[in-house]
Amino acid sequence: MNTLPTFDDVLAAAKRIEGYAHKTPVMQSSILNQALGAEVFFKCENLQRMGAFKFRGAFNSLALLDEAQREKGVITYSSGNHAQGIALAASLLGIPATIVMPKDAPKAKRAATEGYGAKVVEYDRYTQDREAITHALAQEHGYAVVPAYDYAPVIAGQGTAVKELLEEVGELDALFVPLGGGGLLAGSALAARALSPDCKIYGVEPEAGNDGQQSFRSGGIVKISTPKTIADGAQTPSLGQINFSIIQRDVDDIYTATDAQLVDSMAFFASRMKLIVEPTGCLGLAALRANAENLRGKRIGVVISGGNVDLDNFAHLLAEHANTQETAR
């Protein structure tokens, strides 16, 4: 079940999650289109159930479990969005869920995870190995492990977002997708290559954690220390093996964005499109704006991966941004 997935798996996942996952809206900004001289389509996964695309892969994965495994329960590790996706999917399917979550995870993400009924086990993301903790608990209790990104059913589920986007707006010239462990980018690439073969596919990760870019350009997976960035959903030390195989084959390049660019994009979404987008969800727009000169006259897709951000932190980041802008004047 964990072999390299194909677009057929994305199609099967789409049927499996139908009626459970939202078909999220595609939005545009006339002011952005005018500024860039391009036509930009945002796939708003910040408006997905539990606030992120992760619900797609989580539900697809749990729906594939047999009855015996559903009774024993599932476990995963996540900084937040995959945690919430698994917690919500598990609650809908009546499956016990345990989440290994960093102690510094955003409060809103932890609260939502526990609110869906999952048990949270804390760890220190900078000193402890989350995978070792997860597999030890799985062995002790018989839980099924559902990885956040390096797992074929997760990848197939995530690919349904771009499948919907392309079915709604037609073929694109370019597609920008946030990149952490690679589940969303790999799934998006499967869908884009099938439905828009000539589309250029770009992954975008935090500048402080450019392991994916290093891996893509060197031809082998590069592992780094957990990066310090406001994009908590992309604080991964390396790409998944399955994900990297697909990314290496189907993706055109990987860009990075600074934390300052992410905050600037958060401010744009909030002020111009009335959307609350978490920093990780801003990666695509940040890279698009930084590479605008090469995209004039193009039809471009951008995946907004999620909107789960602590409102206090959201307000703080935007206030700092506003002060910086005022000082610059």
Side-chain angles (χ1 to χ4, degrees):
M1 194 163 88
N2 210 23
T3 56
L4 207 65
T6 67
F7 182 59
D8 284 342
D9 294 305
V10 177
L11 294 175
K15 292 181 180 177
R16 210 169 280 122
I17 70 174
E18 187 175 3
Y20 293 95
H22 295 324
K23 183 177 180 181
T24 52
V26 176
M27 296 180 66
Q28 290 190 273
S29 165
S30 57
I31 194 168
L32 181 69
N33 287 348
Q34 290 170 10
L36 299 181
E39 194 172 10
V40 184
F41 302 93
F42 292 101
K43 181 61 170 170
C44 297
E45 286 296 290
N46 56 313
L47 302 178
Q48 183 55 259
R49 292 188 76 164
M50 48 71 44
F53 74 96
K54 291 283 191 177
F55 178 73
R56 297 173 181 271
F59 191 90
N60 186 52
S61 299
L62 298 197
L64 288 166
L65 297 177
D66 61 30
E67 286 303 319
Q69 191 57 71
R70 290 188 185 199
E71 286 185 14
K72 291 181 180 178
V74 297
I75 189 169
T76 193
Y77 47 86
S78 169
S79 65
N81 282 339
H82 180 63
Q84 292 173 82
I86 290 292
L88 176 55
S91 71
L92 293 171
L93 294 168
I95 302 172
T98 300
I99 313 295
V100 177
M101 181 176 273
K103 62 184 181 183
D104 62 345
K107 294 178 183 177
K109 294 183 178 183
R110 175 163 180 165
T113 299
E114 292 177 323
Y116 293 132
K119 175 185 175 183
V120 170
V121 175
E122 283 189 352
Y123 78 100
D124 186 323
R125 74 164 91 221
Y126 299 108
T127 62
Q128 293 180 286
D129 186 335
R130 62 183 185 175
E131 293 186 43
I133 295 168
T134 299
H135 287 286
L137 289 169
Q139 186 172 15
E140 180 182 352
H141 299 286
Y143 300 146
V145 178
V146 183
Y149 48 84
D150 196 17
Y151 190 52
V154 165
I155 294 168
Q158 318 306 29
T160 61
V162 166
K163 171 186 174 291
E164 290 176 5
L165 170 65
L166 292 168
E167 287 174 344
E168 182 169 339
V169 306
E171 295 192 24
L172 297 170
D173 298 304
L175 176 68
F176 289 80
V177 183
L179 172 61
L184 178 60
L185 180 57
S188 297
L190 293 176
R193 283 288 164 256
L195 299 176
S196 186
D198 297 326
C199 177
K200 297 290 185 182
I201 304 170
Y202 303 111
V204 190
E205 60 190 348
E207 185 179 71
N210 72 329
D211 60 285
Q213 186 182 69
Q214 292 183 56
S215 301
F216 184 78
R217 295 179 182 180
S218 68
I221 293 178
V222 173
K223 188 170 184 177
I224 63 173
S225 298
T226 300
K228 294 188 177 181
T229 169
I230 61 171
D232 65 280
Q235 284 183 299
T236 48
S238 67
L239 297 177
Q241 293 282 349
I242 299 173
N243 315 72
F244 182 62
S245 296
I246 297 170
I247 290 168
Q248 195 174 30
R249 182 190 70 196
D250 292 339
V251 171
D252 291 282
D253 205 354
I254 294 176
Y255 296 132
T256 64
T258 65
D259 280 1
Q261 289 173 320
L262 296 182
V263 175
D264 192 52
S265 294
M266 286 174 66
F268 176 86
F269 280 129
S271 63
R272 296 296 185 176
M273 298 182 70
K274 314 310 174 193
L275 293 173
I276 294 178
V277 181
E278 64 186 275
T280 307
C282 295
L283 284 164
L285 175 59
L288 166 61
R289 295 168 91 184
N291 292 276
E293 285 302 312
N294 302 319
L295 297 165
R296 298 191 71 82
K298 305 293 187 182
R299 286 168 48 84
I300 304 159
V302 177
V303 178
I304 300 175
S305 57
N308 293 320
V309 58
D310 287 323
L311 291 182
D312 287 346
N313 188 42
F314 183 79
H316 173 70
L317 289 171
L318 293 192
E320 282 193 336
H321 176 268
N323 290 336
T324 302
Q325 296 293 101
E326 185 64 30
T327 301
R329 293 194 188 97

